[in-house]
Amino acid sequence: MNYKIIAAGAMALACAGAAHAQSAGSFILSTGWFHLSPQDQSSPFTLVSRGGTTFNDPIANTGAAVSDADTIGFTGTYFVTDNIAVEGVMGVPPKFYLSGEGQLAAFGELGQVRQWSPTLLLKYYFGQATQRLRPYLGIGVSRVWFSDAQITNQSFISNVAILNGPTTVSVENKWAAVFNGGFTFQITDHWYAGWSLSYMPLKTTATLYTPQSQSLVGKLNSVSKADIKLNPIISYINVGYKF
């Protein structure tokens, strides 16, 4: 008799969980912590032009490395079916620090930039809607743009021949694919915990403008650049609430 009561109780709990699971029409808001780890690689700094003359002259043994970054993230997930969901992802723009490589390594940190990368994902959740633990795979697209880019190292500006004067920097905006995988775990009828890992193949160009670059013939307008592969691996640990 006791076993029947226990079995009936377990069935009731299962049914209660099913009524509040990730099923078609469910909407989940979550927040958590992003860690972005660029798998970066840089081309040499290249003098593009000076005084209106085109050079495209790479400076050997130069480049830039990009730091890791952490930030707060937010997602909104809507289940179109029990297994298919669309998700919007946004985070507080993280700040990345750029440091010199090769013969520029002695300068240390060169500058900094913030990255904006709102993302739209299409995700497939495995298993049944009633399962507490649900792994998923996703694919999507991100619009990546950069703000507050600046060179902060005055020694770098003053002692590198292709600059040698007050310098500003811009970073090219890009579209990027996003490959995503992870899982969610149902804690209560409405609360969830989750973890995911994403990869974003991303290549951009940093362009440096020196309008009064010192040269042997006086001050000239100088433009230089470096191509940077960021290719970040992004981890996200979060808690969410289902409406």
Side-chain angles (χ1 to χ4, degrees):
M1 185 67 180
N2 289 337
Y3 290 109
K4 291 181 179 180
I5 293 173
I6 292 171
M11 185 174 295
L13 286 173
C15 291
H20 298 282
Q22 296 169 326
S23 56
S26 296
F27 179 66
I28 299 174
L29 285 177
S30 83
T31 185
W33 198 254
F34 280 114
H35 178 75
L36 297 89
S37 180
Q39 311 302 296
D40 56 300
Q41 183 179 359
S42 170
S43 71
F45 279 92
T46 298
L47 178 62
V48 178
S49 66
R50 173 169 283 177
T53 301
T54 300
F55 287 91
N56 289 325
D57 185 17
I59 311 303
N61 194 30
T62 60
V66 183
S67 68
D68 288 8
D70 295 278
T71 191
I72 297 172
F74 307 93
T75 66
T77 308
Y78 178 76
F79 280 79
V80 182
T81 71
D82 287 356
N83 297 95
I84 297 174
V86 291
E87 182 172 276
V89 184
M90 187 64 187
V92 175
K95 182 183 290 186
F96 291 94
Y97 296 91
L98 285 76
S99 57
E101 288 192 322
Q103 63 175 296
L104 302 180
F107 293 106
E109 184 183 310
L110 305 180
Q112 59 191 40
V113 66
R114 288 192 181 275
Q115 176 187 306
W116 304 69
S117 51
T119 300
L120 184 64
L121 294 170
L122 179 65
K123 302 166 72 172
Y124 184 85
Y125 283 74
F126 296 92
Q128 303 299 313
T130 54
Q131 292 179 199
R132 290 189 178 276
L133 180 66
R134 297 194 74 186
Y136 59 80
L137 291 175
I139 188 170
V141 64
S142 180
R143 178 57 176 172
V144 183
W145 72 89
F146 301 87
S147 66
D148 303 325
Q150 55 184 311
I151 301 297
T152 56
N153 189 317
Q154 293 304 312
S155 179
F156 168 67
I157 292 174
S158 302
N159 293 286
V160 174
I162 61 174
L163 304 178
N164 202 13
T167 300
T168 60
V169 60
S170 68
V171 184
E172 185 181 10
N173 301 332
K174 289 285 189 175
W175 289 95
V178 180
F179 304 94
N180 171 257
F183 64 85
T184 60
F185 180 76
Q186 183 181 358
I187 302 170
T188 69
D189 289 347
H190 290 281
W191 287 98
Y192 286 81
W195 177 86
S196 71
L197 198 66
S198 300
Y199 175 69
M200 180 190 298
L202 175 63
K203 179 180 179 181
T204 188
T205 300
T207 304
L208 291 77
Y209 303 92
T210 311
Q212 296 187 30
S213 178
Q214 297 284 353
S215 73
L216 295 176
V217 295
K219 296 180 178 180
L220 299 174
N221 179 59
S222 177
V223 180
S224 51
K225 71 174 185 178
D227 295 323
I228 303 173
K229 290 182 180 179
L230 295 173
N231 298 346
I233 294 175
I234 306 161
S235 58
Y236 181 51
I237 185 168
N238 64 295
V239 292
Y241 184 86
K242 185 183 75 68
F243 292 89

